[in-house]
Amino acid sequence: MPTGVALRDVRQQLFDAAERVLLRAGPTALTSRAVTAEAGCAKGVLHRHFADFDDFLAELVRRRIAALEAWGATMRETAGSGPVDENIADALAGVFDPVGLGLISLIIARDDVRARLSRDGRPPGLPLLAEATAVLAAYLTAEQAEHRVPAGADVPTLALTLVGTAHLVFADRERTPPGPAATRALVASLLRTAAS
């Protein structure tokens, strides 16, 4: 990039570029060079805004977690409306979209990124999956208060089961990811099991 050309919202451009690289080529292709090339800027631009590439990646994940937590707050506020299985299926589809799956793979593969995220005081477990579990547990608790989830349901275990099962189903590279109807059927089945 020529000197003197101003970049607007460089951090956002870099995050958007990283997501495009993830979508196109997967987490193994996510390098500082790939991100800056995709963003159309010099490699040094990334290092002016972040301590190192792992710092950039941790911030990319933090932004995803913040969006998930905001969505979770909305889900809790609207508890009592819409079908519970559909609400959960929508949340899981958002967590396990292609970018989310790429970030989860990246967190698993990069110890330093995982360690940085764990130092944030986040819930125990794998970052992003742990927050997804916490968001669903809070939503299920809100629905329990509305009498739409059985009072005797073990909400923490149910949330963990929903996230773990969805991760296995969505991350299976041998199969096409489930569509909305299949995801909703899976969630409804797990909810029925919890009710019995």
Side-chain angles (χ1 to χ4, degrees), residues 27-149:
T28 57
L30 198 59
T31 64
S32 58
R33 186 174 308 280
V35 170
T36 54
E38 181 72 26
C41 62
K43 187 174 178 185
V45 170
L46 187 141
H47 295 287
R48 278 197 296 274
H49 292 273
F50 300 95
D52 56 29
F53 193 57
D54 284 340
D55 183 42
F56 168 77
L57 294 174
E59 186 58 30
L60 180 64
V61 174
R62 284 183 195 106
R63 291 167 62 91
R64 182 72 173 211
I65 290 169
L68 171 63
E69 289 171 340
W71 193 11
T74 301
M75 286 176 63
R76 286 190 314 276
E77 290 167 9
T78 59
S81 64
V84 173
D85 58 345
E86 186 176 309
N87 294 341
I88 294 171
D90 288 347
L92 292 172
V95 170
F96 297 111
D97 70 359
V99 171
L101 287 171
L103 289 175
I104 292 164
S105 293
L106 185 137
I107 293 165
I108 291 169
R110 296 186 74 118
D111 293 340
D112 193 46
V113 172
R114 191 171 54 256
R116 288 172 194 227
L117 292 165
S118 295
R119 287 191 297 260
D120 290 349
R122 303 211 171 274
L126 191 70
L128 195 53
L129 293 179
E131 285 81 8
T133 303
V135 162
L136 282 183
Y139 169 69
L140 288 164
T141 299
E143 289 292 9
Q144 227 173 16
E146 296 287 330
H147 308 290
R148 292 169 21 115
V149 169

Side-chain angles (χ1 to χ4, degrees), residues 92 132-138 140 154-165:
L92 292 172
T133 303
V135 162
L136 282 183
L140 288 164
D154 179 355
V155 167
T157 301
L158 178 56
L160 186 60
T161 302
L162 286 161
V163 170
T165 303

